Amino acid sequence: MELTEVGAMLADTAERLFTAHAEEIDRAAHEGVWPEAAWAAIEESGLPLALVPEAQGGFGVPPREALMLIRQSGRHALALPLAETMIGNAALAAAGLSLAKGPVGLADSANARVPWGRHAKTIVLGDDVGVQRHVGLDVSTQGTNIAGHPRDQIAAPAEQPSSAGAVPVLALGALARALQMAGALERVLEMTVEHVSSRVQFGRPLAKFQAIQQELAKLAGEVAAASAAADHAADAYASGAEDLTFAIAVARTRIGEAASKAAAIAHQLHGAIGFTREHALHRFTTALWAWRDEYGTQRHWTLIVGKRALSAGRDGYWPMVVAA
Amino acid sequence: MTTDLRFPTPPSHEGAEALRHEVRDFLANVLVDRSSLRRADSWNGFDRDFSRKLGQRGWLGMTWPKKYGGHERSAYERYVVMEETLAAGAPVASHWIADRQSGPSLLKYGTEAQKEAILPGIAAGETVFCIGMSEPDSGSDLAATRTRATPVDGGWNVTGTKLWTTGAHQADYMILFCRTSGSPADRQAGTSQLLVDLKTTTGITIRPIIDLAGQHHFNEVHFEDAFLPSGALIGSEGAGWEQVMSELAFERSGPERFLSSMQLLIELVGALQDASSEAAELALGRLTAHLVTLRRLSRGVAAMLEAGANPGTHAAIVKDLGATFEQDLPDIARSLIDAEPDAASTSDFVAVLAHITMNAPSFSLRGGTREILRGIIARGLGLR
């Protein structure tokens, strides 16, 4: 994809920040603390506003390219609520509410487990009624997902702010996870290729064994499918597709399956080395296992696609697939 | 590394959706009496009349230069015609091979005389091709070819046997891959491609080979001192391997690589209208997400072809994923609907289930086995 100047600049900035602060972010995630300096640098860079239209305080990066930043964060298994903050700000802007201060806790219902809820300065809640912007809410129950990322229950607000707009926050959160998974899967493939190329057994690199090559080819297929499915949903968002939610449902259904299959192959090919806390692979695979069921589970999104397929009927099925 | 395996965004063309509806209307009209079972056999449906009608519409040789009977349209428009034709279960066997690979190969490597003589007939839906690659001792190991064309006065003398040659008994021409110098130990070196006129060349015997579904598509094609004129050489003598690899990229790139079971999926959706369950919704959701994604990947390959890029590795990925999707379908269908598969059944679902079950093994064999494709993907990843 050819990037605009502003898009390329943001992508460079993001890569530099994700790499420079990787250690701090990783350590903070392990110790359950907030990486103050890393987040401050990310906020300073303007990344949290990348999905906001220029007229509402963004800086004119095309939406398709802004979404690539979320994918890029997935390539680093970034343990920060950057995707949530980008989506949260976009939802606030779409609903005509003022933008968030600090990291956003993005919630698709009042009793959702909110990513990084304890660190969020603004809670953006979007449901069927509309979008609400909350500040100063307390965490009622702290928890984590299986990647060890905070997932917290938020206490009910003392008074309800008014709801605005009709923004599909659940679907947009799901889109973020789809993109993050596609990015993480790409990195998992690279790591696995690197590992089998350098690890020598029986006197030759693992990569020279046909059994290994066949498994890697399967892994590459799943990663390619996930990548295409994420692109499909991102294109639907950028083009203002009428049925954005369905495109996201398709993407999440396919990418969730790819995440399961790819993580299994990657671990098999990494052997015991990849099953340690010390090796980086688990940061990606545990995130994939968690992400495939966040902002709607695998089952939730698959059922949406299945019901649509069934209701299209025998003669309407193929036209429905083409229009999806 | 992986950036090389990214699939480009599918192309779009103004008018492509209008073309799609034109094709759908045409097919609805022409195929009105075609049974579901026969639609399931789209690939093997041999119907010169149908191919001629497509040719008259300008839907064959779509991307080729006008001077060879082509229509200079985009790869994406061609893609639209191909996928609509297959999804409708149209009988494509008499034009598919020529339009997909033999024609493009001739366009790329053929002599001016060959292009002028052959391509207009393909674009008109008149000329049928078959592919002379596999041999009794040379399936996946194509470089082990033993069929030999020996240079003689004014041409070539060919002796050898080609096997599992789809449609040879109905074809007008074959593109023959064979050895023209050296020995089988030289592997890829010393191989060439020759254009064989099956209707006029003497010394060729074509015998049927019946497949496990009881149908006659395969053939054994035996050459015994068959004479081919020197003008039969396609491209350069000794460059056969490079040419045949390029041809296989065409063969592996299209939507036929995941639409073989489409009729079964359609009948399954129909059968589930009165037998739905959450399990059915989950299964259909999964299959549909796969199909939408496969379409996007496949159209990405079309974009690469249009840009003149070599989609060898990408095409292998689509075909590998596509064949798995197609082959999984019968068992998924069986898990959702009670049926004893029977091609003679009056139930369209049951008949099509039988047909696809019997043909499914071929999906990951034809056009390059699953193992060969995965080897190609591994090479694309830099492992080989």
Side-chain angles (χ1 to χ4, degrees), chain B residues 4 108 245-246 248-250 301 304-305 307-315:
Chain B
D4 295 337
K108 192 166 175 187
M245 287 301 112
S246 152
L248 281 168
F250 292 126
V301 172
M304 293 181 74
L305 285 173
N310 177 2
T313 308
H314 297 74

Side-chain angles (χ1 to χ4, degrees), chain B residues 178-384:
Chain B
C178 65
R179 181 157 292 290
T180 45
S181 67
S183 74
D186 294 328
R187 305 286 299 161
Q188 291 90 342
T191 58
S192 302
Q193 286 186 306
L194 293 161
L195 179 65
V196 183
D197 183 338
L198 292 171
K199 300 288 189 225
T200 63
T201 307
T202 52
I204 300 176
T205 314
I206 298 172
R207 296 190 198 96
I209 293 177
I210 306 303
D211 67 25
L212 78 73
Q215 294 183 302
H216 172 206
H217 307 294
F218 282 161
N219 298 276
E220 178 191 82
V221 184
H222 184 62
F223 294 81
E224 182 130 27
D225 289 325
F227 175 78
L228 301 179
S230 46
L233 181 69
I234 301 169
S236 323
E237 197 273 316
W241 185 258
E242 182 206 325
Q243 292 177 202
V244 94
M245 287 301 112
S246 152
E247 180 181 336
L248 281 168
F250 292 126
E251 178 168 352
R252 290 168 182 153
S253 63
E256 70 273 29
R257 297 315 183 180
F258 57 91
L259 290 176
S260 316
S261 299
M262 191 61 208
Q263 195 62 36
L264 179 56
L265 185 47
I266 288 170
E267 298 304 340
L268 176 62
V269 171
L272 286 172
Q273 295 300 312
D274 303 321
S276 188
S277 62
E278 205 170 74
E281 289 172 350
L282 286 168
L284 268 189
R286 177 181 170 271
L287 289 169
T288 304
H290 274 256
L291 184 53
V292 171
T293 306
L294 281 163
R295 270 195 81 236
R296 176 160 182 123
L297 290 167
S298 181
R299 287 177 296 144
V301 172
M304 293 181 74
L305 285 173
E306 182 138 14
N310 177 2
T313 308
H314 297 74
I317 287 176
V318 181
K319 183 172 174 332
D320 184 34
L321 291 172
T324 303
F325 168 79
E326 294 174 334
Q327 287 178 331
D328 284 350
L329 246 162
D331 277 345
I332 294 170
R334 287 176 53 242
S335 76
L336 298 173
I337 303 271
D338 286 306
E340 291 179 38
D342 177 4
S345 171
T346 52
S347 151
D348 286 338
F349 171 75
V350 173
V352 170
L353 177 62
H355 180 85
I356 298 297
T357 300
M358 298 288 271
N359 282 279
S362 69
F363 301 162
S364 55
L365 300 173
R366 61 192 187 193
T369 64
R370 171 170 292 138
E371 290 71 23
I372 289 289
L373 296 173
R374 291 185 178 166
I376 290 169
I377 299 165
R379 183 173 291 122
L381 291 168
L383 301 183
R384 306 175 57 203

Side-chain angles (χ1 to χ4, degrees), chain B residues 166-189:
Chain B
T166 299
H169 59 303
Q170 290 155 318
D172 304 302
Y173 293 92
M174 170 193 280
I175 292 184
L176 172 71
F177 175 73
C178 65
R179 181 157 292 290
T180 45
S181 67
S183 74
D186 294 328
R187 305 286 299 161
Q188 291 90 342

Side-chain angles (χ1 to χ4, degrees), chain B residues 28-41:
Chain B
N29 193 24
V30 173
L31 303 178
V32 65
D33 293 326
R34 197 166 176 82
S35 71
S36 293
L37 181 60
R38 290 184 68 213
R39 286 173 191 258
D41 205 23

Side-chain angles (χ1 to χ4, degrees), chain A residues 186 190 257 310 314 317, chain B residues 2 6 267 273 288 290:
Chain A
E186 233 172 51
E190 286 174 9
E257 183 179 335
L310 205 58
R314 185 191 174 283
Y317 181 72
Chain B
T2 47
R6 283 261 178 100
E267 298 304 340
Q273 295 300 312
T288 304
H290 274 256

